[in-house]
Amino acid sequence: SQGSTASDEGLVVVLFPPTVVGRSGNLSLLPGQTATFSILATAKPPPTYQWRKNGVDITRATGDTLIIGSASWQDAGTYTCLVSNVAGEVEWEEAALGVLDEVESAPV
């Protein structure tokens, strides 16, 4: 009896914060070998990644995989990955990278 009014259509956007569903663990390798850390996360919108070594951001390490080619003792340390989007963030648990010296790697 009062009449009707048309309104614009609405859009509902559902956001999901990142959830880590898979990851690599600790690594020990010989000098010169390649270390690969990877993480699998789900989120909406898709997440961004920031890898860290000993709590410090690694420049240009912003993908779901971190590759350290020709590892040396200077690469040894603790690695984490911050996964985030507009709905939240989660930091991947620590993984250690150990680089053995030639004495440690010799057969006994």
Side-chain angles (χ1 to χ4, degrees):
S1 72
Q2 299 294 324
S4 63
T5 303
S7 65
D8 292 334
E9 291 183 18
L11 175 65
V12 176
V13 177
V14 179
L15 304 175
F16 297 101
T19 301
V20 174
V21 294
R23 65 178 184 85
S24 51
N26 297 337
L27 296 172
S28 292
L29 30 108
L30 298 171
Q33 290 184 312
T34 298
T36 302
F37 292 108
S38 60
I39 189 165
L40 178 60
T42 60
K44 186 173 182 177
T48 60
Y49 304 88
Q50 177 59 63
W51 289 91
R52 297 174 174 165
K53 177 186 173 199
N54 299 330
V56 178
D57 289 356
I58 302 170
T59 304
R60 293 186 299 278
T62 56
D64 60 358
T65 301
L66 174 66
I67 298 173
I68 302 166
S70 193
S72 71
W73 63 270
Q74 295 159 326
D75 296 308
T78 302
Y79 290 81
T80 58
C81 185
L82 181 66
V83 184
S84 60
N85 70 5
V86 296
E89 64 184 32
V90 62
E91 187 160 23
W92 169 57
E93 298 173 17
E94 296 178 349
L97 172 61
V99 180
L100 306 172
D101 63 26
E102 297 301 325
V103 174
E104 292 175 310
S105 63
V108 179

